[in-house]
Amino acid sequence: MDSHTAMRRRPSLSLPILRNSRDQHRAGTLTLGNLITSLGEASFGWAIVVFSLLTLLPLPPGSSVITALPLLLTTVQMMLGYPFVRLPKALARMTLDPDKLRRTVLRLRPVTRRLERVLTRRRTSIFAPRKERLIGVLLFVIAFALFLPVPFSGWFPAVSLFIVGVGFVERDGLATMVGLALGTASVLLTGILLISIAAGAETMIH
């Protein structure tokens, strides 16, 4: 089998999330904690993927203040060198809407399809524990930018975190670095928007 055929037959990145959420919904056990555990034994990669999806759910404006909290918790644990994600009981028991989750996963298909074509195990030295802590610091900053209720800025950091999470799941260091670069750009964009909003408010006051 040549490499092109293998690439075309690569399992979908969306399939594990869709399959596990469907099965757990039918069993009446679809919670955030159960979904994370079923995907990868509470690994950081799958946790970041799922939590970034939560921030992209069709929710009222400003909801990122709540949905970004699991990402902040996860990235802090990475910074501290935890071996896996430890969710508080209240967060682990949070129920998920399977229809909204499915729609969000499908909305990201243009991103996941492109990733599926190029993902491979490479540059795995980036996942060494010492470097993983540094990545945790960078991801915390990106997650904090997502947490801030700044108009028009939420989608960009959420997608960058999604790409980083996929990179962790597939042990693709290059994909992880691309996600981090996009996340850094999203932090800069959020900063520019905050400065613009502050300048506009000051102009109105004076």
Side-chain angles (χ1 to χ4, degrees):
M1 181 185 298
D2 60 33
S3 59
H4 294 292
T5 303
M7 194 183 309
R8 285 196 299 270
R9 294 185 181 180
R10 181 185 184 85
S12 169
L13 292 168
S14 309
L15 187 60
I17 298 173
L18 294 174
R19 183 180 61 238
N20 282 283
S21 61
R22 179 198 62 202
D23 292 346
Q24 290 180 21
H25 174 60
R26 288 175 177 172
T29 60
L30 180 55
T31 64
L32 190 56
N34 286 342
L35 181 58
I36 294 296
T37 301
S38 67
L39 287 168
E41 300 180 353
S43 71
F44 283 109
W46 277 118
I48 294 169
V49 167
V50 172
F51 295 157
S52 60
L53 286 174
L54 291 184
T55 67
L56 294 167
L57 291 174
L59 298 171
S63 298
S64 62
V65 173
I66 304 299
T67 56
L69 289 177
L71 282 166
L72 290 171
L73 176 65
T74 300
T75 53
V76 165
Q77 291 181 358
M78 284 185 69
M79 290 164 52
L80 297 176
Y82 281 42
F84 54 84
V85 180
R86 299 177 184 175
L87 293 178
K89 289 183 179 179
L91 195 57
R93 292 172 181 166
M94 188 178 81
T95 57
L96 301 174
D97 185 319
D99 294 327
K100 287 183 177 179
L101 183 62
R102 182 177 181 277
R103 287 199 299 270
T104 302
V105 170
L106 294 179
R107 276 173 57 201
L108 280 174
R109 284 300 290 153
V111 176
T112 55
R113 280 176 181 155
R114 286 176 172 81
L115 287 172
E116 286 161 10
R117 294 190 191 107
V118 299
L119 282 170
T120 187
R121 190 181 181 91
R122 56 189 161 184
R123 301 193 182 182
T124 55
S125 61
I126 195 175
F127 303 112
R130 185 172 55 184
K131 293 180 181 178
E132 193 168 288
R133 288 191 178 196
L134 176 59
I135 292 174
V137 174
L138 297 174
L139 292 179
F140 177 82
V141 175
I142 299 169
F144 188 75
L146 178 61
F147 170 77
L148 297 173
V150 180
F152 312 115
S153 67
W155 191 86
F156 197 9
V159 170
S160 68
L161 287 165
F162 177 83
I163 293 172
V164 170
V166 169
F168 265 79
V169 169
E170 297 292 332
R171 310 308 283 177
D172 188 334
L174 182 59
T176 299
M177 288 188 284
V178 169
L180 289 172
L182 291 173
T184 301
S186 74
V187 171
L188 294 174
L189 174 62
T190 302
I192 291 170
L193 289 172
L194 281 173
I195 292 171
S196 299
I197 292 170
E202 187 176 353
T203 299
M204 291 178 64
I205 292 173
H206 297 289

